[in-house]
Amino acid sequence: MIVLVLLLIFTLYLLTRVCKYYLLSPIYLYVLFALVSIIASTWYFYFFENKFSLFNLDNVSEAKFLEVLRLYIIALVSFIVGVLIYYDVSKKKTKKIFNKSFTDSLFLDYKLNKGIKITGVILFYVIIVLYIITYGKGIFIREEYLPETNRGLTILIKILSFVEVIILGLVYKNQKLASTIYFILLLLISIGTGSRSVFLFFLGFISLVFISNGNTLFNKIRFSIHLVISFLFLAYIMQLRELEMHGVIPYLKSISSESKSFVRSFFFNIYYSFIYGVFVTIKTIQKSELDWNIIFISLNPLPGSMAGWYDYADKMRINIYAPYSLHGRIFKMGYFFTVIYFFLTGVVFSFFERKIRVLLEKKKRVLSFIIVLILMLHIVYAFEYNMRAAIRYIYYAFFILLLVYLTNQILLNLPKRKKENDT
């Protein structure tokens, strides 16, 4: 273990030498989340006496805990090595981009026309109507966590809500009160779904507020406070599915519950966000089967029904609330596959790192920001949820880049076609 820790420190040092840190770096977001998870889990296992033991997962031997901790460190080292190899084989231009800090490039200076503001207001009421059509009174109170709804409409609501969040975040600079009120109302009704995507809405809004208000000390302090709140908000969202009743009303009532002290609730949020996933991984290794077909299905970008996911989905859960984790699934396949998988993950994140830095260099901040948010979802889901649920966010990020590339190619060719027609 000591050798692995020293190796991790050495690779981290090399990483800081080749890749300059900045706030939205997907590589550093991945590494920092992994480090916090490893350190917090070790502290929790050895020094936190009154354990939460959610779903009785904390009751593991020291030998099992240390073995999984060793695998997490190996995975993180493999990820960093993937980044270092990608950097080493890259062209000089790419290396220069990696060596450059893009902190100042994050901040926007823009002017919005009235059409955007009016669109935001209209879109807000369209989303409200769609919620009522899709969920009815169930959005406010219901018995089932996942009611029967039109899947197409629920996806449409999420997409439109994401667009609305972007508009409200950009409008905040000139209309702080209106933007804040509309966002809080949108967040309140969105909470009624219990979906983790609400966290993405919150993170998207505070990030856009940050990058649109300049590189000032006040803005940085405010953003830091917002990040802490977002972390607590994520933990709150993740607990909602365990309640007896669901919807906006039961979820808001749960905040004022006196069953837990504030301090213990705070530590539970830390536990759920960074530590719980380690114990899910331990149980995943114990209960899951060594099946390569599940790996292939999890990596398959096709819809679940076409990939055969639903033939296995019910068998890949610790219980009704806790699915097997990505890390547990990978670790189950052995050391060699663990090294290869996370090495390739490091290469993939390096690819996105390069793309995001290029986008920032071209002042395409909103697009780079969207891709980072999607990659953050992969990071969070990879530590607590099944492999397929986490991998799909990488595919979403690839799809967005492909869509932007194809759009740019079409736009570039339009003048040429016009010229050919004139001749």
Side-chain angles (χ1 to χ4, degrees), residues 19-273:
C19 186
K20 194 78 171 179
Y21 171 81
Y22 72 104
L23 191 63
L24 293 184
S25 167
I27 289 175
Y28 277 105
L29 287 172
Y30 186 101
V31 170
L32 288 173
F33 193 96
L35 285 173
V36 171
S37 182
I38 291 170
I39 294 169
S41 299
T42 304
W43 167 79
Y44 176 81
F45 184 81
Y46 285 105
F47 302 107
F48 196 88
E49 295 182 1
N50 190 15
K51 291 183 168 49
F52 298 101
S53 197
L54 190 61
F55 307 129
N56 198 31
L57 296 179
D58 296 2
N59 187 23
V60 297
S61 66
E62 184 179 19
K64 290 179 180 178
F65 176 77
L66 289 176
E67 175 60 22
V68 166
L69 203 66
R70 186 180 296 109
L71 286 164
Y72 269 102
I73 296 174
I74 290 172
L76 183 54
V77 169
S78 301
F79 176 89
I80 297 172
V81 170
V83 175
L84 296 174
I85 296 297
Y86 182 92
Y87 175 86
D88 190 58
V89 301
S90 296
K91 296 179 180 179
K92 191 175 181 180
K93 184 179 179 181
T94 298
K95 291 181 179 179
K96 285 183 178 180
I97 292 176
F98 269 67
N99 297 153
K100 180 181 177 182
S101 174
F102 283 84
T103 300
D104 292 333
S105 302
L106 299 177
F107 299 97
L108 297 170
D109 185 15
Y110 58 90
K111 292 182 179 180
L112 295 176
N113 57 46
K114 292 183 179 180
I116 296 294
K117 300 171 185 176
I118 295 172
T119 300
V121 174
I122 295 173
L123 186 57
F124 172 81
Y125 290 106
V126 169
I127 292 170
I128 298 300
V129 171
L130 287 174
Y131 267 121
I132 294 172
I133 293 173
T134 306
Y135 290 90
K137 295 180 180 179
I139 192 65
F140 298 105
I141 187 167
R142 62 183 184 275
E143 294 183 0
E144 304 87 2
Y145 172 68
L146 294 175
E148 292 185 6
T149 57
N150 185 303
R151 184 168 176 80
L153 285 179
T154 56
I155 293 174
L156 179 62
I157 289 173
K158 288 182 179 180
I159 295 172
L160 293 180
S161 298
F162 188 73
V163 174
E164 176 70 3
V165 166
I166 293 174
I167 293 174
L168 292 175
L170 294 174
V171 168
Y172 179 87
K173 184 177 180 179
N174 298 319
Q175 295 185 337
K176 293 181 174 59
L177 182 60
S179 173
T180 303
I181 291 174
Y182 276 112
F183 176 70
I184 290 174
L185 292 174
L186 178 66
L187 203 65
L188 284 175
I189 194 165
S190 298
I191 283 175
T193 65
S195 172
R196 272 69 171 170
S197 60
V198 183
F199 166 71
L200 180 61
F201 300 157
F202 186 87
L203 193 62
F205 181 77
I206 65 171
S207 299
L208 282 170
V209 169
F210 172 66
I211 66 177
S212 63
N213 280 271
N215 191 7
T216 64
L217 179 61
F218 171 77
N219 195 27
K220 290 178 181 178
I221 293 173
R222 179 177 59 185
F223 183 60
S224 299
I225 295 172
H226 284 166
L227 283 179
V228 173
I229 295 172
S230 70
F231 152 66
L232 297 174
F233 183 66
L234 175 61
Y236 162 72
I237 290 293
M238 287 179 170
Q239 300 173 57
L240 296 180
R241 62 171 61 191
E242 298 176 35
L243 299 179
E244 293 182 1
M245 297 297 293
H246 302 275
V248 175
I249 296 173
Y251 292 165
L252 292 180
K253 283 184 177 180
S254 69
I255 298 175
S256 60
S257 174
E258 298 180 358
S259 60
K260 298 178 181 178
S261 68
F262 174 80
V263 175
R264 185 159 176 82
S265 296
F266 176 79
F267 279 112
F268 180 81
N269 291 334
I270 297 175
Y271 163 80
Y272 200 93
S273 298

Side-chain angles (χ1 to χ4, degrees), residues 4 7 70-71 73-82 330-331 333-347:
L4 276 176
L7 180 59
R70 186 180 296 109
L71 286 164
I73 296 174
I74 290 172
L76 183 54
V77 169
S78 301
F79 176 89
I80 297 172
V81 170
I330 300 301
F331 295 165
M333 309 311 290
Y335 283 94
F336 179 75
F337 185 72
T338 296
V339 170
I340 295 298
Y341 176 85
F342 287 102
F343 171 84
L344 293 175
T345 303
V347 172

